[in-house]
Amino acid sequence: MASKIDARTLKQALKGTGEIALIDVRETGTYSQGHPLFAVPIAYSRLELDAERLLPRKTVRVVVFDGGEGVAAKAAQRLEGLGFTDVSVLEGGAPGWKAAGYTLFEGVNVPSKAFGEIVEVARHTPRIKARELIEMQQRGDNLVIVDGRTWDEYRRFNIPGGTSLPNGELVLHIDGIVKDPKTRIVVNCAGRTRSIIGAQTLIDWGVPNEVVALENGTQGYWLEGIPIEHGADRRAPNGDVSPGAIEAKRAKAKAHADRHGVAYADAAAVVAMAKDPGRSIYLLDVRKAEEFAKDALPGFSHAPGGQLQQATDQWVGVKGARIILSDMGENVRAPFVA
């Protein structure tokens, strides 16, 4: 039978360096109304489907909670039935966390979105408002609008004139759509986070162009009363990047990764890490879906780089786990996403 844990003890555990998974077993709508910062949603109705994917090690410390209605105790029992050996239930659930004086955060993918806000403040990522972009377009300024969302999102609606180039593909393919160093690059998403991360990615990559994030993305554009497009099909070229260009990009990505403490591991090291019974590991391929479908490595799951940054908790359920990213030896996208 699962033990109970109080909010204060859980708070200290979340501050530590050891592995822990904090699981909200409420349905998505309720989860989005308020949860602790590092809570990962695995709804009770999807527990068997998602638990082993998001919690790859059965001995990892797991804390489950609900809204105080008792579902967490049932979820803990089901997790134990799946073979998990260290399961606790948060006393009082989300209301108990709040009653202890701790914050409940609204929305989904909160840590990833908070990361975007921190990046903007810490790196002073430049931004423009939708009205400024509209005026640039009306003047015929030299600019390119890059939509950092997924292709499917872009196809549903986009800013007029924008080109699809998901954030995870930026460093590999930006020079396929921006040829002039004097062209201003405007990165947009539907709201804020991917605009910020995409713009800062290009700035960190060292493009010679002026790069700005579009504040509030397509939403801000639409609120200005300008019609948006639907069903557009502009995207970055899908052709192979030349071997010489790949080599230069690889060296650039390695230098950037080294500056930020991103480690590299060869296949033998990854196999050894995967066998470590004391650590959880996630093997994620950050390439495009068609690339992953063609030649995925055994044991790797598909996690497009831009989306992995935007919604990390959809792929990673354990705080403090190991994450291994692959782009099948290209070593441009994976280290930069990392």
Side-chain angles (χ1 to χ4, degrees):
M1 182 176 178
S3 61
K4 292 186 177 181
I5 183 172
D6 62 78
R8 184 178 298 276
T9 303
L10 174 59
K11 180 74 170 179
Q12 292 305 310
L14 290 169
K15 287 182 177 179
T17 57
E19 290 190 10
I20 185 170
L22 176 58
I23 304 302
D24 190 329
V25 297
R26 299 174 294 171
E27 297 300 317
T28 302
T30 310
Y31 161 82
S32 67
Q33 293 173 8
H35 54 270
L37 178 61
F38 290 111
V40 172
I42 304 181
Y44 183 73
S45 61
R46 292 186 55 87
L47 201 63
E48 285 85 359
L49 292 172
D50 292 340
E52 296 193 14
R53 177 180 64 85
L54 287 168
L55 310 173
R57 184 168 65 90
K58 293 293 181 67
T59 55
V60 72
R61 184 180 187 183
V62 181
V63 178
V64 296
F65 72 94
D66 54 21
E69 66 279 348
V71 177
K74 296 179 182 179
Q77 186 175 13
R78 286 172 67 181
L79 286 172
E80 290 175 333
L82 291 172
F84 289 90
T85 61
D86 187 357
V87 184
S88 303
V89 176
L90 174 61
E91 291 181 341
W97 181 263
K98 184 176 182 179
Y102 304 130
T103 303
L104 295 176
F105 293 85
E106 296 181 1
V108 297
N109 312 133
V110 173
S112 295
K113 291 175 179 176
F115 174 66
E117 298 302 312
I118 292 168
V119 167
E120 184 184 48
V121 171
R123 301 302 305 280
H124 308 289
T125 309
R127 66 180 184 224
I128 61 170
K129 296 182 180 296
R131 173 49 54 184
E132 296 176 78
L133 174 58
I134 292 167
E135 291 171 355
M136 292 175 193
Q137 290 178 300
Q138 291 172 342
R139 290 194 304 264
D141 288 4
N142 180 9
L143 62 87
V144 167
I145 302 170
V146 175
D147 194 315
R149 300 172 299 160
T150 66
W151 172 247
D152 288 340
E153 290 175 283
Y154 170 82
R155 291 279 291 165
R156 285 198 291 272
F157 58 87
N158 69 282
I159 291 173
T163 298
S164 174
L165 184 55
N167 279 356
E169 304 295 315
L170 282 170
V171 296
L172 190 63
H173 292 299
I174 187 61
D175 43 7
I177 59 174
V178 181
K179 307 293 185 182
D180 182 356
K182 295 181 181 179
T183 298
R184 175 183 286 159
I185 302 173
V186 180
V187 182
N188 80 274
C189 62
R192 288 181 53 81
T193 308
R194 284 173 288 182
S195 300
I196 296 166
I197 296 300
Q200 194 59 52
T201 292
L202 290 176
I203 293 168
D204 288 353
W205 184 243
V207 296
N209 308 71
E210 178 189 357
V211 183
V212 296
L214 179 61
E215 185 177 324
N216 299 323
T218 51
Q219 176 180 251
Y221 198 97
W222 179 77
L223 288 173
E224 287 290 338
I226 304 296
I228 56 178
E229 284 187 311
H230 300 274
D233 60 359
R234 294 178 297 272
R235 63 197 307 178
N238 285 324
D240 292 336
V241 182
S242 70
I246 282 285
E247 191 61 37
K249 289 175 182 286
R250 183 180 295 130
K252 200 172 182 179
K254 177 67 163 61
H256 184 73
D258 288 346
R259 285 195 297 272
H260 291 276
V262 175
Y264 282 65
D266 60 20
V270 173
V271 169
M273 285 188 282
K275 293 179 179 178
D276 183 351
R279 292 294 302 276
S280 302
I281 190 169
Y282 297 88
L283 306 176
L284 305 174
D285 189 320
V286 301
R287 299 174 299 159
K288 292 181 287 189
E290 57 267 32
E291 294 176 282
F292 176 78
K294 181 180 178 181
D295 59 1
L297 289 170
F300 276 74
S301 300
H302 184 226
Q307 294 307 102
L308 180 59
Q309 295 169 327
Q310 166 74 8
T312 307
D313 54 5
Q314 291 182 16
W315 284 276
V316 178
V318 178
K319 185 175 182 288
R322 286 187 173 121
I323 302 175
I324 308 295
L325 305 186
S326 170
D327 55 20
M328 286 298 288
E330 164 203 297
N331 287 340
V332 178
R333 285 171 288 183
F336 222 84
V337 170

